[in-house]
């Protein structure tokens, strides 16, 4: 037994041998990993610095469009910037006051950065032509990442600075003009026409495609609900509902009648065929509900008076379709698929395009071409002040809210108003009936 204990291995020596083996294995693994990392880093491309002549690009931009005697004419400026020069300069000045981002700054080397004209021009070109961000580098010397940043800052500034004026609801003065235009066209009490437009979303996440895709188009879209008048001004813009919804679903989520239900909107009174009404209406297509606030056409009219009414209603309802067409023609980014991943950025782009559209309409005076002679045809539409003021309407009465909501949705009023409009239009435009 004693000989067996003498021949046994010392536990300390065995542990030391095992530890040396583990250390050598760890050293070998570390050497392999280090060699692999060094090899991959040697093949990695380093970022190349591009010394862009942004000062020269600014001087060329000023000489081409903003000098006292620019190279390109006013008509070419209007075509390429979608607006006249003084409107664009007004936007540049307003955004410069809104954020230091749109001011002339210097970098850490005391070199001047991009000018406000370059940044705003880059954003306008992307909105107007729908081009990729890196296409602006050759002329404006703006990198792709900076161009996308300029676009995001520009649309955000447009909404915050000009949204309160150019995305507002009609005032009492605006309603008086809208009622005059509607009455001259044979529709007393008309406040505009309403419809929806889809904007394709190319980079919609896969998990959301079922929610944003409709069988009508077969690809993800986002919906814009708008109300437009005869001069193509967009008085209501509600954007962001998933494309799988129809116009009624969008209407149920829209704030179109919110001010009217709260009693804060100007009231309307007008007379049609000797009968008085107190709810203004919008011309709509067949999918909208039969409410007092909507006037629709007649499907397959048989009588002559019905044919005349359908032709006049469908012709006047095309105002919102024309507004959609002009909006897409002016800002091609809305016509092409949206390439942003963020619903917030897409919403800001759409709102900024609507604001710019309304600014151009206001500046160029695209008013109704029809003559408004209220002396020949006495006006029967008036605008009354709101029932309540916004400052004193923090807690509206529930019964009053229900009453106003019921007046907007009244089916009997819709039917009676439609019959009276048929007679009214037949008396005015009956000579246009086909013989």
């Amino acid at each position: 037994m004693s000989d067996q204990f003498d021949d046994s291995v010392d536990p300390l020596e065995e542990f030391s041998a095992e530890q040396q083996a583990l250390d050598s294995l760890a050293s070998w693994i570390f050497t392999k990993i280090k060699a692999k990392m060094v090899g991959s880093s040697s093949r990695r491309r380093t970022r190349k610095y591009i010394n862009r002549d942004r000062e020269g690009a600014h001087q060329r931009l000023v000489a081409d469009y903003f000098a006292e005697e620019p190279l390109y004419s006013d008509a070419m400026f209007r075509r390429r910037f979608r607006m006249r020069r003084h409107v664009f300069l007004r936007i540049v000045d307003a955004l410069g006051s809104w954020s230091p981002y749109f001011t002339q700054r210097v970098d850490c080397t005391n070199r001047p950065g991009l000018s406000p004209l370059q940044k705003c021009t880059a954003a306008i070109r992307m909105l107007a032509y729908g081009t990729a961000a890196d296409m602006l580098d050759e002329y404006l010397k703006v990198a792709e990442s900076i161009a996308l940043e300029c676009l995001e800052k520009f649309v955000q500034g447009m909404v915050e600075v000009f949204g309160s004026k150019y995305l507002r609801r009609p005032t009492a003065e605006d309603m008086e003009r809208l009622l005059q235009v509607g009455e001259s066209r044979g529709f007393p009490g008309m406040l505009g026409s309403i419809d929806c437009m889809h904007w394709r979303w190319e980079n919609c996440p896969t998990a959301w495609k079922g929610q944003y895709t409709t069988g009508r188009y077969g690809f993800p879209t986002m919906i814009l609900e708008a109300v437009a008048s005869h001069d193509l001004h967009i008085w209501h813009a509600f954007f962001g509902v998933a494309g799988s919804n129809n116009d009624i679903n969008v209407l149920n989520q829209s704030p179109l009648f919110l001010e009217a239900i709260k009693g804060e909107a100007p009231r309307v009174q007008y007379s049609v065929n000797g009968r008085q009404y107190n709810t203004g209406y919008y011309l709509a297509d067949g999918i909208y509900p039969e409410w007092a606030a909507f006037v629709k056409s007649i499907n397959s009219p048989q009588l002559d008076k019905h044919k005349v009414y359908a032709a006049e209603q469908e012709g006047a309802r095309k105002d919102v379709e024309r507004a959609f067409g002009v909006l897409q023609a002016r800002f091609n980014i809305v016509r092409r698929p949206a390439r942003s991943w963020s619903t917030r950025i897409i919403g800001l782009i759409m709102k900024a395009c609507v604001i710019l559209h309304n600014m151009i309409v206001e500046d160029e005076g695209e008013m109704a071409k029809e003559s408004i002679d209220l002396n020949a045809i006495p006006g029967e539409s008036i605008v009354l002040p709101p029932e309540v003021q916004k400052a004193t309407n923090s807690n509206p009465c529930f019964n009053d809210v229900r009453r106003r909501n019921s007046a907007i949705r009244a089916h009997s009023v819709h039917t009676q108003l439609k019959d009276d409009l048929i007679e009214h239009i037949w008396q005015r435009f009956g000579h246009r009936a086909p013989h």
Side-chain angles (χ1 to χ4, degrees), residues 24-43:
S24 62
L25 178 62
S27 178
W28 178 82
I29 294 175
F30 176 76
T31 303
K32 290 292 185 181
I33 294 176
K34 183 177 180 181
K36 187 175 181 180
M37 293 178 62
V38 171
S40 61
S41 62
S42 62
R43 295 190 300 268

Side-chain angles (χ1 to χ4, degrees), residues 122-333:
I124 285 291
R125 291 295 177 87
M126 295 179 66
L127 294 175
Y129 292 97
T131 57
D134 60 350
M135 291 189 65
L136 305 171
D137 195 1
E138 295 179 345
Y139 177 68
L140 295 175
K141 304 303 178 185
V142 179
E144 178 182 3
S145 59
I146 302 300
L148 294 174
E149 184 181 23
C150 290
L151 177 63
E152 180 177 351
K153 294 287 187 179
F154 182 85
V155 296
Q156 181 181 356
M158 289 296 301
V159 174
E160 293 187 11
V161 176
F162 298 102
S164 59
K165 179 177 180 180
Y166 292 100
L167 286 180
R168 60 174 173 80
R169 301 304 306 276
T171 62
E173 293 78 9
D174 297 328
M175 279 193 173
E176 289 181 358
R177 184 177 60 82
L178 293 174
L179 292 175
Q180 291 176 5
V181 174
E183 190 164 351
S184 68
R185 304 173 70 189
F187 290 93
M190 182 184 72
L191 299 176
S193 54
I194 184 173
D195 203 358
C196 291
M197 181 189 79
H198 288 253
W199 187 12
R200 181 177 179 179
W201 189 7
E202 182 176 354
N203 289 331
C204 176
T206 303
W208 295 0
K209 286 187 176 180
Q211 178 183 358
Y212 283 84
T213 303
T214 178
R216 178 181 177 184
Y217 297 103
F219 46 77
T221 61
M222 302 178 74
I223 302 177
L224 168 68
E225 180 191 69
V227 172
S229 54
H230 188 52
D231 60 356
L232 303 185
H233 193 287
I234 297 177
W235 294 102
H236 165 75
F238 176 63
F239 179 77
V241 180
S244 60
N245 295 274
N246 59 21
D247 294 5
I248 299 179
N249 303 135
V250 178
L251 178 65
N252 291 333
Q253 305 176 50
S254 171
L256 177 62
F257 300 111
L258 183 59
E259 290 186 356
I261 291 176
K262 295 169 64 176
E264 298 174 354
R267 294 173 295 167
V268 174
Q269 282 188 359
Y270 58 96
S271 177
V272 182
N273 198 30
R275 188 173 283 104
Q276 180 176 322
Y277 295 91
N278 301 317
T279 303
Y281 59 86
Y282 304 98
L283 300 185
D285 55 12
I287 192 174
Y288 282 87
E290 295 182 347
W291 294 354
F294 299 119
V295 169
K296 305 194 294 183
S297 180
I298 298 176
N299 294 327
S300 302
Q302 302 297 324
L303 301 178
D304 288 343
K305 61 171 61 178
H306 291 173
K307 293 179 180 179
V308 173
Y309 166 80
E312 296 295 328
Q313 194 275 349
E314 293 169 5
R317 195 193 67 81
K318 293 301 181 183
D319 293 343
V320 66
E321 302 287 355
R322 293 191 301 117
F324 287 152
V326 173
L327 180 68
Q328 292 179 332
R330 281 178 174 156
F331 304 103
N332 204 263
I333 192 173

